[in-house]
Amino acid sequence: MNRFLQRSLLSGPPLLYLLVFFLLPTLIMVVVSFGWPGEQGGLAPLWLRDAQGFHLDLTLDNYADFVSTTLYLRLLAKSFWYAVLTTLICLVMAYPLAMLIAKSDKRHRNLMVLLVILPFWSNFLIRVYAWMIILGPQAGLSQALNGVLALFGWGPVSLLFSPFAVLVGLVYVHLPFMILPLYANLEKHDPGLMDAARDLGANRWQCFWRVTFPLSLPGVLAGSALVFIPALGAFAVPDILGGTGGIMIGNVIKMQFLEARDWPFGSTLSIVLTLFALGVTGIAAWLVRRRGGSYV
Amino acid sequence: MNKLLAAMLLFLAPVAFAGDVLHIYNWNNYIAPETLARFKEQCRCRVAYDTYGSNDELLAKLAAGAKGYDLLVPSGNAVESLLKQQALQAIDKKLLTNLKNINPSFLNSSFDRGNVYSIPYAYTTTLIGYNEDKIRQLGIPVNTWAAIFDPIYLAPMKGRVTVLDDQRELMAAALKYLGYSVNDGDEAHWRQAADVIMKAKPYWAAFMNTGYIRLLSTGDIWLVHGYSNDMFQANDAAIKAGKGIRISYTAPREGAVLALDSMVIHKDAPRADLAHQFINFMLEGRNAAELTNLTGSGSPNLDAMQYIRAGIVRNEGIFPGKQVLDKLEQLQDLDRRKRRLLSRLWTEIKLSP
């Protein structure tokens, strides 16, 4: 009993927090997605009163609007590819770095981890705006690139306001979320495993591919989820760096709550996005589990 | 015991004083700091000053339940929406001794006949701003919306043009270009306007609401669709940068959007008395003039004209002449069905190649 009390005291507050600030809002959003938009914004009353008394006034209209055109599915697909590319690039960039940190001297590790999270000390928007200057047409990067292109007789390209800029921004913002779980995983690997693998005749590549990588799959999965899900719903980065083509589903959801003052449709889009993200991460976890066997 | 009481009173005293607070929710950069300072002195109160960047932001924040604001400065269509929500209270005009200063042509707008709830503050127009030398070199006509929509003119400016990231404003420009009213509600006309926008979009650098001020002044961008007061700021920035870039702006001959921002008092305003004082204060010519001298917004205040710098009074982009003024239109609020349709068209525009 005492043990039970202890456990509930410890797990109670975080559970309550998640219940009140995650589950409840999500349920509210589910309900709102079946409501009508208010004439001046917000939500129309969910209950109607007529001769038969009070009754619920819900609709499937919002979902019907969602599927009545391929527009929103194309938008979701576009956001999906941006998120997948961001995740893959982050993974390829973060893995060697996480390994380097994990294998370096214990005294330096904390400093290196600190350096990875150092960007968080400044505001997210300021860091994204900084990319606007770095990629701008007057900056050295664009000038140098276009100088080289001119040598081959190719016309100048614009780095800023392009899908490339959106990808750069997304990777930059999410990279630490890939590095940290990977590092946390790789750091725990027993160095003895490498010795054993080498003793059994594995070369370096085999050591990595058949021992280290499978063991790190939980870290890869955690990092990928931490990057993929927020990247899928990103709206500030495409807004600032994307130019005329920079729109993702996050921007359209934001638009429903601001310009369109249409909470029900915004909720519908959010629910679809949540289900989609859950589906994709679920499938990814299942695939990894199947291939990774007992490691995960 | 007495000492304790005295100490408690000392703590309470500033709290009692802090009770005299006027909560203002206004646009970014839409009052001169010295004006605000003088008002605080005059009313012997504190002012809690919050800002927004768009009418949508204001409406969304109020719709989400923000409370405690006394005075707001929305544009006409947002006043209309707030009135439909019954979120405003009637203004007691007996308290407004300076109301006579307002130019009658800015009174009696369609969103509030008789100005029961709203008093004009300042106005801006949406027009075309441009880098004078570049555009003259290219020989592009700047007195027509064709400058931002016609691929013939856009081709030599590819990647050097920005338009507002605002559904209503950009659609209004396209509707005007096609010869319709900015408040045309015909779905077929909206379609046509969206097509005009999608054909021009590949030539634009970006959709932008404030960033163009800097880009225009540095010479990165040559022609923009934007607000008259922002063009004024861009010109200021260009002069300060001293690179010899000159910026001009004109209202297109097809007509454009006029945004009349008005002072309104929220229905639940805790201090409607202070809000009335503020409105009357801003109706004084000198105070209204300071706003125009700082921000380049047009002033509906006749008494203010004598204090406004001559260069600004003569600027047709800020104070349009009668001919242009007749062609300006204020945006009206959209119902929920139209808002959803517009947001779908806008998504389509943004997703198009």
Side-chain angles (χ1 to χ4, degrees):
Chain A
M1 186 57 209
N2 198 12
R3 213 185 141 84
F4 174 75
L5 192 73
Q6 240 179 19
R7 273 194 196 168
S8 10
L9 273 178
L10 279 175
S11 61
L15 273 178
L16 193 72
Y17 187 88
L18 285 177
L19 209 69
V20 174
F21 294 110
F22 177 72
L23 193 62
L24 200 64
T26 308
L27 289 177
I28 291 174
M29 220 157 65
V30 171
V31 174
V32 171
S33 74
F34 291 104
W36 294 99
E39 196 52 62
Q40 293 308 314
L43 183 68
L46 291 173
W47 280 272
L48 259 186
R49 201 186 158 167
D50 57 19
Q52 285 98 48
F54 283 98
H55 62 90
L56 273 174
D57 185 23
L58 297 179
T59 173
L60 285 171
D61 230 41
N62 306 309
Y63 289 93
D65 268 0
F66 177 84
V67 293
S68 70
T69 154
T70 59
L71 181 65
Y72 299 106
L73 290 173
R74 278 184 284 140
L75 185 70
L76 200 58
K78 183 182 171 191
S79 310
F80 171 75
W81 287 118
Y82 268 116
V84 166
L85 272 175
T86 304
T87 311
L88 286 178
I89 296 170
C90 277
L91 185 61
V92 169
M93 286 172 76
Y95 208 104
L97 187 62
M99 238 158 112
L100 184 82
I101 300 175
K103 288 203 171 145
S104 63
D105 196 77
K106 257 209 165 94
R107 283 169 304 169
H108 298 139
R109 272 186 221 169
N110 284 340
L111 177 70
M112 290 164 101
V113 171
L114 183 76
L115 287 175
V116 169
I117 57 171
L118 197 64
F120 290 121
W121 292 8
S122 66
N123 181 284
F124 159 82
L125 282 178
I126 291 179
R127 286 182 280 134
V128 179
Y129 272 111
W131 277 105
M132 218 174 154
I133 296 169
I134 297 171
L135 298 174
Q138 314 264 10
L141 196 62
S142 284
Q143 304 263 348
L145 176 73
N146 285 324
V148 172
L149 286 180
L151 289 182
F152 295 94
W154 288 322
V157 293
S158 165
L159 294 179
L160 186 60
F161 301 141
S162 64
F164 169 77
V166 175
L167 216 49
V168 167
L170 287 175
V171 167
Y172 169 74
V173 168
H174 294 106
L175 192 57
F177 296 106
M178 186 65 96
I179 296 174
L180 294 176
L182 271 179
Y183 159 72
N185 174 288
L186 289 168
E187 187 210 34
K188 284 186 296 203
H189 289 196
D190 184 353
L193 285 174
M194 285 293 109
D195 296 336
R198 235 171 268 133
D199 286 348
L200 291 171
N203 60 28
R204 289 178 66 142
W205 175 245
Q206 285 169 321
C207 276
F208 172 76
W209 199 234
R210 303 188 57 175
V211 181
T212 308
F213 187 73
L215 278 176
S216 72
L217 276 176
V220 171
L221 201 62
S224 299
L226 281 178
V227 171
F228 177 79
I229 295 172
L232 189 64
F235 69 87
V237 172
D239 228 16
I240 297 169
L241 301 174
T244 51
I247 191 173
M248 289 171 66
I249 185 127
N251 302 89
V252 177
I253 292 175
K254 181 183 145 223
M255 193 203 295
Q256 302 311 317
F257 289 94
L258 276 175
E259 288 99 321
R261 283 178 271 145
D262 191 342
W263 291 7
F265 196 59
S267 299
T268 300
L269 290 176
S270 299
I271 297 290
V272 171
L273 179 63
T274 306
L275 290 177
F276 185 72
L278 274 177
V280 171
T281 39
I283 290 169
W286 178 72
L287 280 176
V288 168
R289 201 161 288 153
R290 217 180 52 159
R291 301 208 52 192
S294 55
Y295 296 116
V296 183
Chain B
M1 189 62 197
N2 268 346
K3 262 188 193 163
L4 193 69
L5 257 179
M8 275 176 73
L9 276 178
L10 267 180
F11 269 106
L12 286 175
V15 178
F17 177 69
D20 284 335
V21 183
L22 171 65
H23 285 85
I24 298 178
Y25 196 28
N26 196 354
W27 292 86
N28 298 323
N29 185 31
Y30 216 28
I31 194 164
E34 59 268 28
T35 314
L36 200 56
R38 265 208 317 281
F39 175 71
K40 285 186 220 172
E41 216 171 276
Q42 191 183 312
C43 79
R44 296 219 185 84
C45 63
R46 289 199 303 133
V47 173
Y49 196 83
D50 255 355
T51 61
Y52 49 86
S54 69
N55 285 307
D56 304 318
E57 197 183 330
L58 163 80
L59 291 175
K61 193 162 174 182
L62 291 177
K67 294 243 178 320
Y69 291 119
D70 297 297
L71 190 114
L72 316 162
V73 194
S75 311
N77 51 327
V79 173
E80 193 182 335
S81 171
L82 289 171
L83 276 175
K84 282 184 195 152
Q85 297 171 52
Q86 300 179 325
L88 305 179
Q89 59 173 276
I91 289 170
D92 185 355
K93 289 196 200 127
K94 284 196 295 293
L95 300 172
L96 307 181
T97 50
N98 298 322
L99 190 58
K100 59 182 189 309
N101 292 342
I102 293 292
N103 182 344
S105 56
F106 289 97
L107 291 173
N108 227 2
S109 291
S110 70
F111 57 83
D112 179 21
R113 294 278 177 224
N115 292 79
V116 181
Y117 299 93
S118 64
I119 303 295
Y121 182 79
Y123 63 87
T124 58
T125 49
T126 313
L127 33 68
I128 293 174
Y130 53 96
N131 182 319
E132 229 175 79
D133 298 328
K134 279 283 175 208
I135 296 307
R136 186 170 306 148
Q137 252 173 42
L138 297 170
I140 288 158
V142 286
N143 64 343
T144 160
W145 287 120
I148 64 165
F149 289 129
D150 192 337
I152 290 177
Y153 299 132
L154 285 169
M157 300 190 286
K158 190 171 190 303
R160 302 292 189 161
V161 177
T162 72
V163 294
L164 287 172
D165 193 6
D166 186 304
Q167 309 176 5
R168 292 301 301 282
E169 287 283 2
L170 192 58
M171 282 297 273
L175 285 168
K176 274 287 176 198
Y177 175 57
L178 293 167
Y180 305 125
S181 155
V182 300
N183 292 311
D184 194 314
D186 190 328
E187 223 178 292
H189 294 170
W190 279 17
R191 258 275 138 230
Q192 265 179 291
D195 285 341
V196 163
I197 293 170
M198 284 191 270
K199 278 205 190 85
K201 194 187 120 173
Y203 298 94
W204 297 335
F207 293 93
M208 246 184 212
N209 281 340
T210 48
Y212 63 81
I213 301 176
R214 186 178 68 86
L215 295 175
L216 197 57
S217 71
T218 55
D220 280 329
I221 290 294
W222 299 340
L223 191 126
V224 307
H225 164 233
Y227 302 109
S228 54
N229 55 329
D230 284 346
M231 308 298 179
F232 175 83
Q233 308 283 340
N235 191 35
D236 248 16
I239 290 167
K240 278 190 192 118
K243 282 190 197 156
I245 289 173
R246 288 182 305 155
I247 291 158
S248 289
Y249 36 109
T250 22
R253 59 162 190 258
E254 296 95 342
V257 172
L258 167 79
L260 177 62
D261 299 321
S262 298
M263 297 178 275
V264 299
I265 303 178
H266 197 269
K267 175 184 55 142
D268 302 323
R271 296 304 303 264
D273 57 328
L274 293 177
H276 278 93
Q277 276 187 44
F278 180 81
I279 294 175
N280 200 39
F281 177 82
M282 285 312 293
L283 290 174
E284 268 175 46
R286 190 161 71 115
N287 302 329
E290 270 174 356
L291 173 68
T292 295
N293 282 333
L294 178 77
T295 64
S297 56
S299 183
N301 195 310
L302 292 173
D303 189 50
M305 302 310 278
Q306 57 184 313
Y307 306 107
I308 295 173
R309 291 207 303 270
I312 298 178
V313 174
R314 277 198 308 269
N315 190 332
E316 289 247 331
I318 296 174
F319 286 100
K322 179 91 178 79
Q323 258 183 334
V324 178
L325 209 52
D326 285 344
K327 287 200 171 169
L328 297 180
E329 279 184 278
Q330 296 199 47
L331 289 173
Q332 284 163 11
D333 198 46
L334 297 177
D335 65 28
R336 64 183 185 187
R337 205 183 57 78
K338 292 255 172 61
R339 289 204 302 272
R340 184 172 290 189
L341 176 64
L342 181 58
S343 107
R344 179 194 283 204
L345 279 176
W346 191 248
T347 307
E348 214 170 295
I349 288 167
K350 287 286 186 92
L351 203 58
S352 75

